[in-house]
Amino acid sequence: MILILHEGTTEQELGALTGLIEAAGAVPRTSHSVAGLRIAVRGIAGKDADALAATLGMHPAVAGVLRLSVPYVLVSREFAPAGTPVRVPLPGGDVVFGGTEVVLIAGPCAVETSEQLVGAAAAARDAGARLLRGGAFKPRTSPYSFQGLEEEGLKLLAEARDETGLGIVTEVVDPRDVELVAGYADMLQVGARNMQNFSLLRELGGCGKPVMLKRGPGNTVDEWLMSAEYIADAGGDQIVLCERGIRTFESATRATLDLASVPVVQRKCRFPVIVDPSHASGDYHYVVPLALAAVAVGADGVMIEVHPDPGQALSDGNQSLTPARIQVLGRELRAVAEAVRRRIG
Ligand code: PEP
Ligand code: MN
């Protein structure tokens, strides 16, 4: 349940409410947003929740009690109706998801060499990207495929950040590597295959960096939001959701891009949502139109794979844009963003 508090609620009243919630065996979490002060109450169900809701509803500081029909509360839109922007702090100015900017993230699938990364980063920056993506730890379908350069790749990403000013987004696949990756990256990515790796999600909740949570190819929106709830429950309050396509009977594209999930997430969840048309389509021919559609439907960002020489890429070359193609994408994205009263870069 969510408690809506009256304007001007005092610290004393807040303390009294927190005491009542804890005495009932539940856990309170307070949020101050544009909509005012709210308390999320979790860890209580059934008759006990009904009784607590009745008690809290009578408290003079409480303007209303919202009983949620969904099992997530901390990430719910009701907890912060105006939304919770996600801020990636950078020396040249913070990148903010969930504001007027549509954030372009671009870079190679995997970090391969310094030249490859610098080439991709320059193309990304010129196209209007604010963040550079690139995998140092690669979750591959086959154990015999290129698994990533690991810490060496993280070092190359940090060098590319110094050269370009772009922030770094990179995937972490193992809870034991969270601290290492957080030491280099500005935002940590949870890959689609790890969406329900709950020990990884909990570890990320306490890492102190923004987290990008990809949707699992076989997961519903509600399951995806429950995974975000794991991160929030572990203390994370900076989560960006990333739609990257789901598995359906259609085989013309690698996955089926569920663009409907963007407005659905925006209605159900307080965190920003972005779209990855590269992994959704698996084919560079479709990346530009799908990216434009994502911005039109209201996504807070798009993430695009780019490689200086896609034919030589060690992973996902077929879906990677060339430096020339991503410039075209950048120009077209600007036009669509403007049409929906937003901006790129
Ligand atoms: C990626 O973005 O590098 C990636 C592996 O994508 P996904 O987890 O969506 O398959
Ligand atoms: Mn990839």
Side-chain angles (χ1 to χ4, degrees):
M1 77 187 83
I2 307 259
L3 304 184
I4 305 170
L5 305 188
H6 284 298
E7 217 177 300
T9 296
T10 63
E11 284 299 322
Q12 220 169 4
E13 288 171 319
L14 210 51
L17 286 168
T18 313
L20 284 171
I21 295 164
E22 284 169 349
V27 185
R29 178 89 71 91
T30 309
S31 93
H32 295 256
S33 79
V34 199
L37 197 56
R38 296 191 173 207
I39 302 180
V41 182
R42 58 183 181 75
I44 191 160
K47 285 198 169 57
D48 294 340
D50 296 341
L52 181 62
T55 308
L56 295 171
M58 283 185 299
H59 193 281
V62 175
V65 181
L66 298 177
R67 302 299 299 274
L68 304 184
S69 56
V70 289
Y72 41 85
V73 53
L74 297 176
V75 306
S76 70
R77 182 48 80 159
E78 286 82 357
F79 193 26
T84 302
V86 170
R87 197 169 280 280
V88 183
L90 288 176
D94 297 357
V95 174
V96 180
F97 291 86
T100 53
E101 177 174 358
V102 177
V103 179
L104 175 59
I105 305 169
C109 177
V111 179
E112 299 169 4
T113 64
S114 172
E115 297 68 41
Q116 171 250 13
L117 186 61
V118 168
R125 185 199 50 209
D126 293 348
R130 306 288 311 278
L131 299 172
L132 173 66
R133 62 147 290 141
F137 293 89
K138 293 304 299 174
R140 303 303 299 279
T141 303
S142 162
Y144 310 122
S145 302
F146 176 56
Q147 305 285 310
L149 297 181
E150 304 188 348
E151 189 167 5
E152 195 46 42
L154 296 174
K155 288 183 179 154
L156 293 177
L157 284 165
E159 282 171 26
R161 172 178 49 212
D162 293 343
E163 272 184 43
T164 59
L166 298 173
I168 301 302
V169 184
T170 195
E171 179 165 351
V172 55
V173 297
D174 189 314
R176 293 167 296 189
D177 293 329
V178 167
E179 204 180 323
L180 172 75
V181 178
Y184 289 94
D186 300 295
M187 181 177 226
L188 278 69
Q189 176 176 327
V190 179
R193 291 163 193 78
N194 265 320
M195 190 201 87
Q196 289 184 314
N197 180 339
F198 301 120
S199 47
L200 178 64
L201 300 177
R202 285 204 177 283
E203 195 66 34
L204 284 165
C207 80
K209 294 269 168 99
V211 176
M212 179 202 293
L213 177 64
K214 287 196 146 194
R215 178 181 183 180
N219 291 106
T220 63
V221 169
D222 275 347
E223 287 165 345
W224 188 16
L225 297 181
M226 284 311 299
S227 289
E229 185 84 3
Y230 264 91
I231 300 172
D233 186 44
D237 197 46
Q238 293 282 280
I239 305 166
V240 171
L241 294 129
C242 178
E243 169 62 58
R244 48 77 74 210
I246 51 176
R247 186 165 283 193
T248 68
F249 57 79
E250 181 55 71
S251 58
T253 48
R254 185 172 169 183
T256 298
L257 181 56
D258 179 15
L259 279 179
S261 76
V262 172
V264 171
V265 167
Q266 286 171 339
R267 185 158 163 241
K268 291 176 165 232
C269 175
R270 64 189 172 102
F271 289 114
V273 56
I274 68 168
V275 171
D276 171 352
S278 302
H279 290 90
S281 65
D283 184 333
Y284 75 90
H285 290 96
Y286 308 127
V287 168
V288 174
L290 293 176
L292 298 178
V295 176
V297 86
D300 296 300
V302 287
M303 183 158 81
I304 307 291
E305 285 187 342
V306 58
H307 193 287
D309 186 358
Q312 298 301 313
L314 295 181
S315 62
D316 287 347
N318 197 47
Q319 68 201 33
S320 298
L321 299 188
T322 59
R325 281 201 182 93
I326 199 166
Q327 305 316 313
V328 175
L329 172 67
R331 281 196 293 278
E332 297 194 0
L333 278 181
R334 276 193 177 78
V336 177
E338 210 169 292
V340 293
R341 295 176 299 284
R342 297 185 80 174
R343 63 184 170 81
I344 304 278

